[in-house]
Amino acid sequence: MSRARSGALARVSDALSKLLLRWYPLDFREEMGPAMREAYRDRFDDAVRERGVPGLVLAWCAALADAMRNGIGERARPSIRWRRSGRWGRDAERVVKRLVRAPVFALSTIATLGIGLAAFAIVYTAVSNVLLAPMPYDRPDGVYWVFRDYPWLGLERSSAAGTDVDALAQLDVVEHAAAVRPPRGVTLTGAGDGGAERPREVRRMVVSPALFPLLGVAPMLGRVFGPDESGPGRAPHAVLTHGLWASLGADSSLVGRSIRLEGQPFTVIGVMPPSFRFVRPTGTSGSQGADVYTTLEVRLAEADPQAGNYAALLRARDGVGRDQLEEAVASVGRTVDREHFESHGLTLSAVGAHEDLVRDVRPALTVMAVAAALLLAVLVANLTSLLLVRATQREREFAISRALGADGAAIARATVLEGAVLGAIGGAIGAGLAWWGSHALAELTPVTFPRREDLALDPAGALVTVATGLVLGVLAGLIPGVWAARLQLGSLMATANARSGGGRATLRRAMLASQIALSFILLCSGTLVVRTLDTLLRADPGFDPANVTTLRVPITGQRFPEAEDAARMQERIERALAAIPGVTSVGAVSELPMQGSADQRPMLFPGAPGNTGEADHDRPVVDVFYARSGYVETLGARVVEGVPFQRPHRPGRAEVMIDETLARTFFPKGGAVGRDIHINDDTATVTAVLRQLRQYDLHADGRPQVFLRGEDWAYETMSWAIRSSIDPSSLAPAIEAAVHTADPSLAVASVRPMTAVVEDALRERRLTATLVGGFALVALLLTAVGLFGTVASAILRRKHELAVRIALGANHGGVLWMLIRESARLVLIGLLIAVPGFLLVRRVLERVLVGVSTSDPATIAGVALGLAGIALLASYLPARRVLRIHPATALREE
């Protein structure tokens, strides 16, 4: 073939190779173009030499097919988009490839990050949505509850009088003031025009018409109460919550029709939106919600000024500060005290609605927030330690990269990106786990927990979780990245060859010491909280909940205006329940233990030896309950002295039972049985002294308790207790059938074992203990993994040094002890660092601990020994493995 012809074919081949490269993306051509053109040239030259022009044509066709196939593939590869983003994109692709080549490290790190971030996300959602998020009202910061305080009686956060609300509404600083009665269970027996509805209990809240304008919440359907729709003689109207409306069929035509509450028709005028949540606080039992709202049947200005029957809610005018409002409310209190209480000391106090809502759960959520923050710090320290170990393992790679021209920024960028990728993936997994966990948490949380429905993770919380993981990864990658970037090429090469490096060892030790310190704080906190739960589980509630079933039957004065009628109905219910097969005893009380609710009244023991002549002592405020005969025996309450209420009832002789606190105070030498007690204007004779039943908390007695005989006062809605010889959970159908034999129109509510009532009382603390204890266990796992991985890596890198020591005569035991001693020193440093941190956390823990001291020596010593044991084990195992290697073998490997 002539030289001219060969040159022409070469030029055509060269032009074709340039054309073929157009199939590939630009960044690929820039990086690989010269090498591919050279490969094409060699390929075409070989084809010409071997098979002439036909071979060259075939080579051109094959190259065209390869370019089309490979070029399209390169353009479709996701990594191309990373490359197009510049150096960060190319580095990110390399990071992903390195993680794929180290699956054990990647999966274990992502799993621990996912678990830790899931725990953080659950707590973040609870704290954000419950403690920090404003209430779903118009201008929520201006909404306040107003309470009465009776210092001379020791009563705080008591209900206000109707006249108080009327006076507050007249203040210049107040835009609206509303009165709210406690929600009560009533029987819903009909819905619609003559439609039948199975009898059931709903919570009815009586409010003044100003409530909904005050909250600034519009109804979803219909309207709310007008300003004149309250007082005697007004048509009975009702506003439904969305939940009750949905349970009645979610029919929009229900507005304008009637429902029956306690047999009385109420016209439905509106339905509130699904997001509407309103609760009424009480001084003893926390917040209470409602299903249906009706208006007051009295005028507030005409109410008894000494009777505290209402929760007072007000909205301050725009521009009115809290101090100004509190002073105006206090001035009303001084006027009420002067005019109606002979300047005895009554006060009115204003409390922000949101502050009041979360006051009981704030300590527990604060403890969980601190634990979550500590867990995040442990996650950062753990990931930093692991990335630092990874960086030291890549020293030779760094040295070669620096020798080939890579700068420190590129090395740092790679390490930071590795942490970011791990953190982002861990955050995504944590968000998925948290979505499931937070929904489970919302289901397990007591119904009285404020804003319980907001505990589930929302999209904003999921984004925060992923972002938190990304930030943690970046922070964890910064320290090893900066360390690697600052190393000079000469020292890097020397380090890579000598396998030493005091700087990185110092960083590793600092990270491990910080992990140990943070884990110690979390483990101590979690152990103390779990011990509190154990203390509560072993607490004596004053009764025996086993084999007891409880229920509530609403009987109101609306339906039974005469006390005798209510008493006869209670007798019929009692006989019907007692006739159930397997039932051994039946009793009833106005409020069961652990319900956190009671009436408060002052009492007096005239002539009691314990009287001192001081009114505050001789006339204490007590919790008053109404109990029928058989209640003490059914509940298994402890009788200290005397005999509880017996059948048959002896009319004309009022009877009471008191608790041992009152008996010890007024009759220190005994003899309380048979004495008279005065409660308001009523007089009754003490028949028995009882061990106090825990009404508010399992771990402590509440106010002194007095039980009035229910047959004497015929209390309306009673909670019933049934002791049986069979499984309480199987009694529900028989109980409902028995009550309906007494009256088919009665509702049966809250049928559940008494053990479940006690469990509910502990549920909030159990959740706190579970979450904080879970954080502590995750921190312990992270610390153990970090210690083992880092110490093992450090010992393996010292294999040459250890081999030299043994070759020079050091015995294995001495070398092993040296390594363990170094780990023990690290644990000691971590524990010393933890001391000031734990002192700060103690102040938060004190608000949730019960029966356990924050400085409990057994807990502190146990946690310290446990961490020390883990650290020593993390040193012993890799050290023993290294020391089994023969020194000659170790030296040859180096």
Side-chain angles (χ1 to χ4, degrees):
M1 183 181 297
S2 67
R3 180 175 299 179
R5 186 178 179 185
S6 298
L9 291 175
R11 287 192 295 273
V12 172
S13 296
D14 189 57
L16 181 61
S17 64
K18 291 181 181 179
L19 183 62
L20 292 177
L21 286 176
R22 292 289 180 181
W23 286 99
Y24 294 89
L26 177 61
D27 56 344
F28 184 88
R29 294 200 303 269
E30 292 176 350
E31 183 177 353
M32 303 295 296
M36 291 192 67
R37 288 182 63 187
E38 186 68 27
Y40 279 138
R41 187 178 298 111
D42 294 341
R43 182 177 179 181
F44 295 153
D45 290 345
D46 292 342
V48 170
R49 282 195 301 270
E50 293 176 0
R51 287 176 290 178
V53 175
L56 179 60
V57 173
L58 290 176
W60 287 345
C61 293
L64 177 61
D66 290 342
M68 293 175 62
R69 182 180 67 253
N70 296 331
I72 294 174
E74 283 293 324
R75 290 180 181 274
R77 280 179 57 192
S79 60
I80 295 301
R81 290 191 288 274
W82 284 103
R83 291 196 187 104
R84 290 172 182 169
S85 63
R87 291 175 298 176
W88 287 91
R90 288 191 291 272
D91 287 345
E93 182 183 358
R94 296 188 187 103
V95 164
V96 172
K97 289 180 178 179
R98 280 198 300 270
L99 292 177
V100 171
R101 289 195 296 268
V104 175
F105 165 78
L107 292 177
S108 61
T109 303
I110 290 171
T112 53
L113 280 173
I115 294 172
L117 288 170
F120 159 77
I122 292 173
V123 174
Y124 167 82
T125 302
V127 172
S128 175
N129 293 351
V130 176
L131 284 187
L132 303 181
M135 300 185 74
Y137 308 143
D138 180 38
R139 295 169 292 154
D141 292 341
V143 180
Y144 296 84
W145 289 105
V146 176
F147 299 101
R148 272 187 175 185
D149 298 325
Y150 301 87
W152 71 96
L153 297 177
L155 285 179
E156 297 179 345
R157 294 175 52 82
S158 296
S159 299
T163 51
D164 296 346
V165 181
D166 185 67
L168 291 170
Q170 311 304 319
L171 294 174
D172 292 337
V173 297
V174 173
E175 182 177 333
H176 292 290
V180 181
R181 293 294 301 273
R184 295 189 62 186
V186 296
T187 303
L188 174 67
T189 55
D193 297 327
E197 173 72 20
R198 183 180 181 184
R200 58 169 162 156
E201 184 190 51
V202 295
R203 304 287 289 177
R204 172 191 177 189
M205 186 181 288
V206 180
V207 301
S208 62
L211 175 66
F212 296 109
L214 186 156
L215 298 177
V217 180
M220 181 185 73
L221 297 174
R223 63 179 180 86
V224 294
F225 307 121
D228 299 327
E229 289 184 306
S230 67
R234 300 294 181 181
H237 290 163
V239 174
L240 309 184
T241 62
H242 185 273
L244 179 58
W245 173 74
S247 71
L248 295 176
D251 185 359
S252 59
S253 67
L254 184 60
V255 175
R257 294 157 58 190
S258 65
I259 61 173
R260 290 186 175 274
L261 303 174
E262 294 299 311
Q264 180 183 358
F266 282 77
T267 301
V268 177
I269 62 172
V271 177
M272 300 307 294
S275 60
F276 177 70
R277 300 285 187 277
F278 178 73
V279 293
R280 175 200 183 274
T282 66
T284 55
S285 62
S287 302
Q288 301 176 1
D291 302 306
V292 58
Y293 299 87
T294 61
T295 54
L296 298 173
E297 297 177 357
V298 298
R299 293 186 177 88
L300 295 176
E302 299 172 358
D304 182 357
Q306 292 190 335
N309 297 324
Y310 304 95
L313 187 68
L314 60 82
R315 173 181 290 282
R317 294 189 184 277
D318 290 340
V320 175
R322 179 164 185 161
D323 293 341
Q324 185 180 358
L325 178 74
E326 289 177 346
E327 176 55 33
V329 170
S331 68
V332 173
R334 289 191 291 269
T335 301
V336 173
D337 183 47
R338 183 177 62 254
E339 293 181 354
H340 304 292
F341 290 88
E342 301 177 350
S343 299
H344 222 69
L346 178 138
T347 60
L348 289 180
S349 56
V351 180
H354 183 267
E355 174 188 346
D356 179 80
L357 180 70
V358 302
R359 70 186 183 95
D360 291 332
V361 300
R362 185 183 296 275
L365 288 178
T366 302
V367 168
M368 286 190 280
V370 172
L374 290 172
L375 182 60
L376 286 184
V378 173
L379 282 173
V380 172
N382 179 263
L383 186 56
T384 301
S385 298
L386 294 176
L387 291 179
L388 191 58
V389 170
R390 289 264 295 172
T392 56
Q393 292 172 347
R394 296 172 57 203
E395 285 172 345
R396 191 177 298 277
E397 175 189 337
F398 290 157
I400 295 173
S401 298
R402 293 294 293 272
L404 293 176
D407 58 5
I411 295 175
R413 187 168 60 244
T415 305
V416 171
L417 276 173
E418 189 170 30
V421 170
L422 291 170
I425 297 174
I429 293 175
L433 293 175
W435 184 89
W436 173 83
S438 62
H439 281 77
L441 178 68
E443 291 296 324
L444 295 174
T445 303
V447 294
T448 55
F449 194 91
R451 310 179 82 166
R452 174 175 176 259
E453 64 282 349
D454 295 328
L455 292 175
L457 185 71
D458 52 17
L463 289 176
V464 169
T465 305
V466 176
T468 301
L470 180 62
V471 171
L472 291 184
V474 171
L475 291 176
L478 280 176
I479 292 178
V482 171
W483 165 78
R486 293 182 61 184
L487 288 175
Q488 298 299 318
L489 179 58
S491 62
L492 191 57
M493 292 294 293
T495 300
N497 291 325
R499 318 296 268 181
S500 61
R504 67 171 180 274
T506 302
L507 285 175
R508 283 200 306 268
R509 286 193 290 268
M511 290 297 101
L512 287 176
S514 64
Q515 275 187 264
I516 291 171
L518 293 168
S519 297
F520 175 81
I521 297 172
L522 254 180
L523 284 169
C524 283
S525 303
T527 304
L528 292 172
V529 174
V530 171
R531 287 192 59 194
T532 287
L533 178 62
D534 179 65
T535 300
L536 292 175
L537 289 174
R538 291 185 285 106
D540 181 11
F543 59 91
D544 179 14
N547 297 319
V548 175
T549 307
T550 65
L551 65 144
R552 188 172 57 250
V553 180
I555 299 176
T556 66
Q558 259 185 333
R559 186 166 186 177
F560 298 94
E562 299 297 330
E564 293 79 5
D565 296 335
R568 282 193 291 270
M569 179 55 67
Q570 289 173 3
E571 289 287 347
R572 292 166 60 184
I573 294 172
E574 185 172 332
R575 287 195 299 269
L577 293 174
I580 298 174
V583 171
T584 57
S585 63
V586 177
V589 70
S590 54
E591 291 291 346
L592 287 166
M594 306 312 304
Q595 298 297 293
S597 180
D599 291 336
Q600 285 82 44
R601 297 185 189 177
M603 55 77 60
L604 180 67
F605 275 113
N611 286 333
T612 63
E614 298 180 3
D616 291 347
H617 177 273
D618 297 346
R619 194 177 174 82
V621 175
V622 299
D623 283 347
V624 176
F625 305 91
Y626 302 86
R628 294 178 60 85
S629 53
Y631 171 69
V632 170
E633 295 86 346
T634 301
L635 202 64
R638 279 70 161 174
V639 179
V640 179
E641 181 183 356
V643 179
F645 301 145
Q646 297 294 304
R647 298 186 182 93
H649 172 49
R650 290 171 288 181
R653 182 171 179 262
E655 297 177 341
V656 300
M657 297 181 293
I658 64 173
D659 71 357
E660 57 183 341
T661 301
L662 285 174
R664 284 196 305 264
T665 301
F666 292 97
F667 302 94
K669 296 182 179 180
V673 174
R675 302 298 292 264
D676 287 341
I677 183 174
H678 292 176
I679 298 180
N680 290 348
D681 298 328
D682 300 314
T683 302
T685 302
V686 177
T687 66
V689 176
L690 306 179
R691 174 78 178 275
Q692 185 172 112
L693 306 178
R694 296 285 168 81
Q695 189 68 19
Y696 306 105
D697 214 329
L698 272 177
H699 72 276
D701 290 340
R703 292 187 185 87
Q705 295 174 345
V706 172
F707 292 84
L708 307 179
R709 182 162 187 146
E711 292 90 339
D712 294 335
W713 276 272
Y715 191 81
E716 298 168 344
T717 297
M718 302 291 280
S719 293
W720 296 84
I722 301 173
R723 183 168 290 276
S724 62
S725 58
I726 59 177
D727 183 8
S729 60
S730 65
L731 286 175
I735 288 173
E736 187 168 358
V739 173
H740 287 164
T741 62
D743 188 332
S745 65
L746 292 176
V748 181
S750 301
V751 180
R752 55 180 180 162
M754 191 67 199
T755 51
V757 175
V758 177
E759 283 290 321
D760 281 351
L762 289 172
R763 188 174 292 184
E764 184 179 318
R765 291 186 181 273
R766 190 187 298 275
L767 287 174
T768 303
T770 301
L771 287 175
V772 177
F775 292 169
L777 291 177
V778 172
L780 180 62
L781 174 64
L782 291 173
T783 301
V785 171
L787 277 169
F788 187 85
T790 306
V791 172
S793 173
I795 291 176
L796 288 174
R797 294 178 65 80
R798 296 176 62 184
K799 186 165 56 175
H800 181 269
E801 172 199 341
L802 300 178
V804 170
R805 287 177 180 270
I806 295 174
L808 294 177
N811 61 67
H812 285 66
V815 175
L816 184 63
W817 173 243
M818 177 193 70
L819 297 174
I820 292 177
R821 190 169 59 246
E822 291 178 1
S823 295
R825 188 183 304 116
L826 193 64
V827 172
L828 181 61
I829 294 172
L831 295 179
L832 291 176
I833 296 173
V835 170
F838 184 63
L839 292 177
L840 293 176
V841 173
R842 280 178 55 186
R843 299 181 180 180
V844 180
L845 284 175
E846 287 171 351
R847 303 173 64 184
V848 298
L849 297 183
V850 174
V852 180
S853 171
T854 54
S855 56
D856 179 62
T859 299
I860 295 174
V863 171
L865 289 175
L867 283 174
I870 290 174
L872 297 181
L873 187 63
S875 300
Y876 173 75
L877 294 178
R880 188 180 65 172
R881 187 177 66 179
V882 170
L883 294 178
R884 285 178 176 174
I885 303 174
H886 194 278
T889 303
L891 292 173
R892 280 197 301 271
E893 289 179 357
E894 291 295 321

